[in-house]
Amino acid sequence: MREIRVSTLLNNYPVRIGKEILIESIDFIESIRESRRMFAIVDEKFSELHGEVLRAFFKRLKIKNDEVLKFYATERNKSVKSLELIYESLNNKGFGRDTMVLSFGGGITGDVAGFAAATYMRGIPYVNFPTTLLAAVDSSIGGKTGVNFNNVKNLIGAFYQPQAVIVETSFFTTLPAEELLCGLGEVIKYAFLFSEKLLRYLEENIQGVFALQFPIIEYLVEKSVEFKSEIVAKDEKEKGLRKILNLGHTIAHALEIEQEHKIKHGAAVIFGIVAILFISEEIGLINTQTLSNYLLIFENIKSRVKLRKIKYDKFLFLLLKDKKNRRGKIKFVLLKQVAKPIFDVDVNDSVIINSVKKTEEYFNAK
Ligand SMILES: NC(=O)c1ccc[n+]([C@@H]2O[C@H](COP(=O)([O-])OP(=O)(O)OC[C@H]3O[C@@H](n4cnc5c(N)ncnc54)[C@H](O)[C@@H]3O)[C@@H](O)[C@H]2O)c1
């Protein structure tokens, strides 16, 4: 088992990573529980796939069936309505301030359960058990919790850190390849932002993730948690530096809507990162040789990024709309080289379009 400590102003907590560590973690959970009652919020799909180990875990912790709430994880259910159901359930069952919430699921479940914990009785402790690769490498780290509102993603939320994050990697065996790709998109992002070594490692080992090679997965989760937690420790509330973690995401969001959500989030993020590399080259931050070198990492996964022909007027409209929503403050994170990102860069619309066109060609070329 690997353990990394995340230190923030709000809390200091361990992230434990390993295969078949869930039952092993019971003593640790008991030690941080301090005789609190427990309430578990569990992704419904996950619970169907991993019911046996969950039941054994809950039994050891003396968590009864009616102290487990199943949650159907969709963006639509990442809502105030779901929060109401959680608060109601907690209140009706007499859960008080001496409660600890356990969250089992991907980023949707973790964000909702974390916000419920942040707000129920002005905040009760919670432990996050991410069950998707994306949740393990990204959403479970850093304390952003919240729900969507009025069709705006994560409009209502809070920064609230868990007591611990436990990454049981055997949970990933049931993830479809496209969900693994979602997590990988973020790992590739960390590699470009922080580490040439990680980038080279990915180049060699990326297929090992799809083949569920656990040492590879664990190494990637560990490095991601390390990099993300370092940034979060420096800028917990995203006043500046933490913005670099948005690398590739502005383009990805516009693309997801332009493609009417037919492209998966992970594939869109990978597209967004490549587009950023083309933009960085187009404005002279990196040279053509360096660009080709950086693109090598995508060779083995580019066929997983399936696109319909991009409608550029719509795409640009969506980007600009986003810009308007942020009062003209949409700025890009670009790269001068690996581990040398710059943020808050204004990019000319024609440069964006040219680069996105090159990116489209790149993914369509066989
Ligand atoms: N808080 C943050 O800092 C942060 C960062 C990135 C993303 N997010 C949020 O995370 C969400 C996306 O997270 P996600 O990609 O994990 O999505 P998700 O929670 O929807 O999970 C993806 C799918 O996998 C299923 N699933 C979960 N565990 C499984 C398992 N072990 N085996 C098989 N299927 C399983 C879920 O039921 C769901 O259908 C978005 O809402 C996004 O806004 C938050």
Side-chain angles (χ1 to χ4, degrees):
M1 187 189 66
R2 302 161 192 252
E3 181 171 313
I4 296 159
R5 286 208 79 82
V6 180
S7 307
T8 71
L9 289 175
L10 298 176
N11 202 357
N12 179 317
Y13 57 93
V15 180
R16 298 177 145 214
I17 304 157
K19 186 161 177 281
E20 278 142 31
I21 60 165
L22 187 70
I23 301 294
E24 244 177 65
S25 300
I26 287 176
D27 288 346
F28 167 72
I29 305 279
E30 289 287 12
S31 74
I32 57 172
R33 169 186 203 164
E34 295 168 351
S35 78
R36 288 187 189 90
R37 285 181 76 189
M38 284 184 167
F39 182 78
I41 301 172
V42 183
D43 177 305
E44 197 171 309
K45 205 186 283 175
F46 165 78
S47 126
E48 278 162 19
L49 294 163
H50 297 270
E52 203 175 316
V53 64
L54 267 181
R55 277 191 294 278
F57 178 76
F58 290 153
K59 192 168 170 202
R60 291 274 301 273
L61 286 168
K62 300 195 173 53
I63 299 173
K64 300 189 214 84
N65 282 347
D66 71 342
E67 295 167 332
V68 178
L69 183 75
K70 303 266 173 67
F71 173 67
Y72 186 59
T74 59
E75 285 296 337
R76 182 182 271 266
N77 285 349
K78 190 176 168 180
S79 63
V80 172
K81 179 84 200 138
S82 297
L83 285 173
E84 272 180 34
L85 294 175
I86 295 172
Y87 298 143
E88 227 169 66
S89 189
L90 282 163
N91 186 236
N92 289 346
K93 290 176 179 139
F95 281 94
R97 285 202 54 76
D98 62 337
T99 305
M100 178 179 258
V101 169
L102 308 182
S103 156
F104 282 85
I108 293 186
T109 309
D111 281 9
V112 175
F115 187 70
T119 44
Y120 188 70
M121 295 199 163
R122 299 195 182 88
I124 52 176
Y126 85 108
V127 178
N128 200 340
F129 299 79
T131 65
T132 63
L133 185 60
L134 177 109
V137 300
D138 190 0
S139 64
S140 66
I141 310 299
K144 282 190 185 176
T145 67
V147 296
N148 305 329
F149 191 72
N150 262 0
N151 288 325
V152 183
K153 272 198 70 147
N154 306 321
L155 190 70
I156 314 287
F159 286 96
Y160 193 65
Q161 304 289 348
Q163 298 301 107
V165 177
I166 312 249
V167 183
E168 166 59 70
T169 53
S170 71
F171 289 161
F172 303 155
T173 49
T174 48
L175 286 174
E178 62 195 19
E179 296 297 344
L180 291 170
L181 195 67
C182 276
L184 256 182
E186 304 302 331
V187 182
I188 293 171
K189 176 188 83 179
Y190 296 130
F192 278 109
L193 289 174
F194 303 111
S195 165
E196 179 88 35
K197 187 170 160 218
L198 180 58
L199 200 64
R200 296 297 149 232
Y201 182 88
L202 278 168
E203 233 172 79
E204 301 267 307
N205 296 293
I206 210 157
Q207 294 299 3
V209 173
F210 297 100
L212 293 172
Q213 290 180 15
F214 288 98
I216 294 176
I217 292 178
E218 278 159 29
Y219 176 78
L220 294 178
V221 174
E222 182 186 1
K223 287 291 144 201
S224 302
V225 172
E226 257 173 41
F227 290 131
K228 181 158 183 189
S229 57
E230 266 173 39
I231 292 295
V232 170
K234 287 184 188 148
D235 178 19
E236 194 165 353
K237 300 215 167 154
E238 198 162 321
K239 303 237 181 317
L241 185 65
R242 188 167 176 172
K243 289 184 197 166
I244 62 173
L245 298 177
N246 295 326
L247 181 87
H249 283 58
T250 306
I251 288 178
H253 291 150
L255 186 71
E256 279 177 84
I257 305 174
E258 188 277 330
Q259 301 267 305
E260 293 165 346
H261 295 280
K262 295 284 184 295
I263 187 167
K264 284 283 171 180
H265 177 70
V269 166
I270 287 170
F271 184 99
I273 297 172
V274 172
I276 289 302
L277 296 178
F278 277 111
I279 293 177
S280 300
E281 188 233 16
E282 184 125 339
I283 65 172
L285 288 173
I286 58 178
N287 65 38
T288 312
Q289 181 54 45
T290 307
L291 173 70
S292 314
N293 188 15
Y294 289 172
L295 288 177
L296 287 176
I297 191 178
F298 299 98
E299 281 305 308
N300 285 326
I301 51 165
K302 66 190 277 201
S303 61
R304 295 181 187 271
V305 177
K306 298 201 170 59
L307 282 169
R308 300 200 289 193
K309 196 163 171 29
I310 299 176
K311 296 188 191 86
Y312 282 90
D313 46 349
K314 187 172 171 197
F315 177 78
L316 196 60
F317 170 80
L318 288 163
L319 264 186
L320 293 178
K321 194 171 125 211
D322 200 1
K323 188 167 176 167
K324 222 158 89 202
N325 286 344
R326 301 187 212 181
R327 290 202 228 140
K329 278 196 197 126
I330 179 172
K331 306 273 181 180
F332 285 87
V333 182
L334 301 180
L335 282 181
K336 291 209 288 196
Q337 66 180 68
V338 171
K340 289 222 164 30
I342 47 175
F343 60 94
D344 279 346
V345 189
D346 230 335
V347 180
N348 192 301
D349 291 352
S350 65
V351 172
I352 300 173
I353 293 297
N354 274 344
S355 306
V356 173
K357 280 188 174 155
K358 287 183 195 166
T359 309
E360 185 179 21
E361 278 164 29
Y362 172 78
F363 280 105
N364 284 334
K366 295 285 165 264

